[in-house]
Amino acid sequence: MAALRAAGAANALRPSVAAGSVASSRSFSSAGAVRKAAQPFHKDEPQAPVLKTKSIPGPESTRYIDDLNKSFETRSVNMMVDYTKSVGNYVADPDGNLLLDVYAQIASIPVGYNNAALAEVAQSPEMVCAIINRPALGNFPSHTWASLLKTGVLKVAPKGLDNVYTAMAGSDANEIAYKAAFMYRRQLERGGPDAEFTPEELESAMRNEAPGSPQLSILSFKQGFHGRLFGSLSTTRSKPIHKLDIPAFDWPQATFPQCKYPMDQHVEENEKAEQASLDEPIQSEGGDNHAPPSFFRKLRALTKKHNVLLIVDEVQTGVGATGKFWAHDHWNLQDPPDMVTFSKKAQTAGYYYRTKDMRPNKPYRQFNTWMGDPAKALLFRGIINEIERLDLVNHTAKVGDYLYGKIEGLAKQYPDHFRNLRGKGQGTFIAFDNPKRDAFLAKAKTFGINIGGSGTSAVRLRPMLIFQQHHADILVEALEKIVKAL
Amino acid sequence: MAALRAAGAANALRPSVAAGSVASSRSFSSAGAVRKAAQPFHKDEPQAPVLKTKSIPGPESTRYIDDLNKSFETRSVNMMVDYTKSVGNYVADPDGNLLLDVYAQIASIPVGYNNAALAEVAQSPEMVCAIINRPALGNFPSHTWASLLKTGVLKVAPKGLDNVYTAMAGSDANEIAYKAAFMYRRQLERGGPDAEFTPEELESAMRNEAPGSPQLSILSFKQGFHGRLFGSLSTTRSKPIHKLDIPAFDWPQATFPQCKYPMDQHVEENEKAEQASLDEPIQSEGGDNHAPPSFFRKLRALTKKHNVLLIVDEVQTGVGATGKFWAHDHWNLQDPPDMVTFSKKAQTAGYYYRTKDMRPNKPYRQFNTWMGDPAKALLFRGIINEIERLDLVNHTAKVGDYLYGKIEGLAKQYPDHFRNLRGKGQGTFIAFDNPKRDAFLAKAKTFGINIGGSGTSAVRLRPMLIFQQHHADILVEALEKIVKAL
């Protein structure tokens, strides 16, 4: 993907945050000075977080949560949000608080709240048409669909994977990739695409029994997270609460390398920790577990050797946050993965795949009513254009290095609070462990930061691609205050 | 749901179809006369189908399909569509053909192509905000979410089910309902919501083994269709091509009543055909199989007796097409179902459920990143408003009766071609079997009709809710021409 314009161009934003309300509030001191050094992508962002209530949720938010709770699950509500007042890297709540958001809707907001370019896309005639005339894509695609794919989803296709099946979200993207892998495998066993199904296969499939419903497996890594529908959940190994009481396929798991961080200081030990299988490039939900590129190159060689398809789950790691468009770009693979799944920051979802012969041998084998959503594909195209316009992947690589260096400094000062710092050279895809992690996350809000965790003890940073150096300074200052207050 | 205004108000449409191009084309004669009798909901519709090419796909469509095929599955393409030129009940292609569409994107377009009221919703500031600031709903709901649910999704909640979990499409709506059922069941067995998980459960769940991953089942009906992800596919029993090569849960199936049609002439025989289990109210995908309300009342009683949750899959049957808002409204159940799943015409998805104690006992057990999409919930609200404004549910009941009567006439004249006519009193949710079904569907296009099938021999009618008497006349005239040409 080529960068069309250097970073730094101001991105006009709907003026949804009144400067007055910001000025009259508690705010943090460092931002003003830093702002002079960097031109913000979103000019209407506040200079620093704004705190209006002693605790979050404040009284207005609490009222909204109580009302919602009458008919909708609210026990997982982290924060009630006023999206009309959120701006750029800052998330607003109905009490007037404005937090620097380095969680970004679980890593799914790429170019900032109320991004002006996306607002234009959202109001375009194409978008209106896509919303009110949603097609059954497999049966009745729009004549504009091929062109939309070419200028959007496929423009950023991983090297060597220029076909795509679209989907709705990460879970179903993974599941249709799994289905494709099973169909591919059975086709190999059967002797090719022209071999007919046997009567026994046809009949046993209707009873959910082999050979029609074969006992094949997806091998996934321990601690990995790949979604929570029945097939994807069977490959998810993050936490019991994700899996309890749900019937699962008896599929195997492999150990993900238990690397020591920083990885460049533990090369020899980490080399011993390499094993084979299929997985996400960095275990995000499972605790932000990294492995060196050499591991993935060996994994690719091993899967090739055994004729096993390699599916790389880039739902969380894809679309720029690691300082490359796809995290597996860091691996320098000679042979690309067989499939790469995507969603989150793409706002749409699906899997890229290598060649037409990976399509099932007959139509309607990989099929459902909507098969994705052109409206979301339009949005992804807008996001891609914004990433190119502001050169956000390279920008994120640089800001990530800056941020990592600053947190490395904190880790030296507070080694107990910033354990196993990881993500060096991985853009802003940075994490560390904290022994009081849940308290850490809660406390962060009182210092103006919205931040998330992963696994059992990791604090994970998932800022947007428009996170800049002055935001990093605000974040680092807050991180120190948080650990001092723990 | 109250009807706010009687049917018949003209619904202004974006003038996307030039009258000139319609007039200069082949068209069918009956429409003009009928139009005088009924005021059309969409005033820019042509008076009849317009055929510009001898066969469909024509040359332009073929060019677009070939281009798309380079990177996307096209073997299931039924018709390449120009959505900018589609209008009301008519679907356009790039060759200038305009077909009366009684398939409607596999039963998912409710109020017509390029509906003006939905176009307004799509351009509203709320929609723009929802599109560009998509929330992780479980963690960071908008302060407007409760109000949007109340005025939309929950306004049409089935009687007795005033809670909702939202989702993305029919498959995942069914799967999260299944998950809720499993968690509910295990909670009963465990002794209530406060009983803790055992260490053995916690540990075995991580290995995909019992007791943590229990061997519980969803019982579904033979021929039923409930989606194609791994859990939903295990309950789908429609066709081998849907299931082959995909590992499945060893879950049981029950026989759906094999009713004879018309049902009111085979009461005694049909009463013998009743058995118990969980299912969609009318088997749509599996061949449009109906059962009488008494069957479902007995099913509800039986599931109550055995403390089994009853999930009604209204993904295809819901939102008005049967002449009631929900098909199970026809059953006059004393106790509502425990869960009702929805999608398609709702454009959003999810499941309604009875009470808060059907929520899992802890947060994050029913959770994923997006948990639905407020943009689609806004669209559903617009659809509900349009249904109320034009009283489309009652309208569909009436038009359905009219259409059924007409096809009954055809069935008397051509009994071999309109076998097992079904859907009497079920709005436009009408189907019949034809021995040359696939040829029937293909031939229909040459007479200006886009129509779909279900099961192996059924022709299913799935017109939109704005399908009117004059459309029924066009359709019936075409049906006769089709069977004469077979």
Side-chain angles (χ1 to χ4, degrees), chain A residues 281-350:
Chain A
I282 299 167
Q283 286 189 336
S284 322
E285 290 296 323
D288 274 62
N289 305 308
H290 295 244
S294 61
F295 168 73
F296 294 105
R297 287 196 292 270
K298 288 176 196 162
L299 179 60
R300 174 70 285 196
L302 196 66
T303 52
K304 273 274 174 196
K305 184 178 157 193
H306 293 285
N307 217 346
V308 166
L309 296 181
L310 177 66
I311 306 172
V312 177
D313 177 346
E314 291 249 27
V315 168
Q316 185 159 169
T317 54
V319 193
T322 68
K324 305 260 189 196
F325 200 93
W326 302 106
H328 78 269
D329 291 340
H330 288 281
W331 304 344
N332 296 313
L333 295 179
Q334 263 196 306
D335 287 306
D338 297 292
M339 291 181 258
V340 172
T341 62
F342 62 99
S343 185
K344 290 221 190 226
K345 286 192 179 66
Q347 295 286 306
T348 180

Side-chain angles (χ1 to χ4, degrees), chain A residues 181-243:
Chain A
F182 288 130
M183 290 189 263
Y184 186 82
R185 179 77 194 182
R186 286 292 294 134
Q187 180 173 300
L188 276 184
E189 293 173 354
R190 207 175 268 125
D194 299 327
E196 285 301 319
F197 305 119
T198 65
E200 196 194 354
E201 285 177 321
L202 294 169
E203 186 260 339
S204 58
M206 297 306 288
R207 285 182 282 108
N208 291 3
E209 288 172 12
S213 305
Q215 304 212 322
L216 294 172
S217 303
I218 300 289
L219 175 65
S220 63
F221 282 115
K222 279 183 192 166
Q223 296 157 301
F225 182 94
H226 304 289
R228 300 179 61 157
L229 299 168
F230 284 83
S232 46
L233 187 61
S234 290
T235 60
T236 283
R237 315 278 183 169
S238 42
K239 293 177 187 173
I241 199 76
H242 295 160
K243 293 172 72 72

Side-chain angles (χ1 to χ4, degrees), chain B residues 96-402:
Chain B
N97 298 297
L98 259 173
L99 308 189
L100 178 63
D101 191 359
V102 294
Y103 197 18
Q105 306 303 321
I106 319 181
S108 71
I109 294 285
V111 291
Y113 294 114
N114 287 305
N115 177 290
L118 294 194
E120 260 182 53
V121 170
Q123 293 170 85
S124 67
E126 275 170 295
M127 180 65 87
V128 172
C129 185
I131 290 173
I132 68 177
N133 303 306
R134 185 172 187 183
L137 265 176
N139 277 165
F140 301 98
S142 162
H143 67 301
T144 60
W145 182 234
S147 147
L148 174 53
L149 288 176
K150 269 182 230 173
T151 55
V153 174
L154 288 169
K155 191 180 185 185
V156 294
K159 203 180 146 195
L161 288 86
D162 47 13
N163 278 265
V164 71
Y165 273 96
T166 48
M168 313 271 294
S171 284
D172 68 311
N174 281 338
E175 296 215 351
I176 63 172
Y178 298 174
K179 288 178 69 171
F182 288 130
M183 290 188 263
Y184 186 80
R185 180 77 195 182
R186 286 292 294 134
Q187 180 173 299
L188 276 183
E189 293 173 353
R190 207 176 269 125
D194 299 327
E196 285 300 319
F197 305 118
T198 65
E200 197 193 352
E201 285 177 320
L202 294 170
E203 186 260 341
S204 57
M206 297 305 288
R207 285 183 282 108
N208 291 3
E209 288 171 13
S213 305
Q215 304 212 321
L216 294 173
S217 303
I218 300 288
L219 176 65
S220 63
F221 282 116
K222 279 182 191 167
Q223 297 157 301
F225 182 93
H226 304 289
R228 300 179 61 158
L229 299 169
F230 283 84
S232 46
L233 187 61
S234 290
T235 61
T236 284
R237 314 278 183 169
S238 42
K239 293 178 188 174
I241 199 73
H242 295 161
K243 294 172 70 73
L244 275 160
D245 297 348
I246 312 302
F249 290 107
D250 183 21
W251 292 345
Q253 54 185 331
T255 303
F256 192 77
Q258 304 290 299
C259 287
K260 291 195 176 169
Y261 308 99
M263 288 205 292
D264 51 6
Q265 289 167 36
H266 298 88
V267 173
E268 211 170 310
E269 287 157 279
N270 288 342
E271 274 179 4
K272 291 180 189 160
E274 295 177 8
Q275 296 194 29
S277 220
L278 319 167
D279 202 64
E280 53 191 333
I282 300 168
Q283 286 188 338
S284 321
E285 290 296 324
D288 274 62
N289 305 307
H290 295 243
S294 61
F295 168 74
F296 295 105
R297 287 196 292 270
K298 288 175 195 163
L299 178 62
R300 173 71 285 194
L302 196 67
T303 51
K304 273 272 174 198
K305 184 177 157 193
H306 293 285
N307 216 347
V308 166
L309 296 181
L310 177 65
I311 306 173
V312 177
D313 177 345
E314 292 249 28
V315 168
Q316 185 160 169
T317 54
V319 192
T322 68
K324 304 262 189 194
F325 200 93
W326 302 106
H328 79 269
D329 291 339
H330 288 281
W331 304 344
N332 296 313
L333 295 179
Q334 264 195 303
D335 287 305
D338 297 291
M339 290 181 258
V340 172
T341 62
F342 63 98
S343 185
K344 289 223 189 225
K345 285 191 179 65
Q347 296 286 307
T348 179
Y351 71 89
Y352 296 104
Y353 60 103
R354 293 164 68 122
T355 51
K356 271 188 204 161
D357 60 338
M358 286 186 57
R359 295 184 192 170
N361 69 335
K362 289 175 195 291
Y364 289 102
R365 300 194 70 190
Q366 187 76 289
F367 187 84
N368 57 64
T369 299
W370 284 323
M371 298 190 75
D373 183 355
K376 300 299 183 195
L378 278 166
L379 191 62
F380 189 25
R381 182 169 72 183
I383 290 162
I384 292 165
N385 288 342
E386 194 69 347
I387 289 173
E388 292 188 345
R389 184 176 75 85
L390 299 170
D391 195 21
L392 291 177
V393 179
N394 289 323
H395 162 79
T396 297
K398 277 178 222 151
V399 169
D401 287 347
Y402 177 81

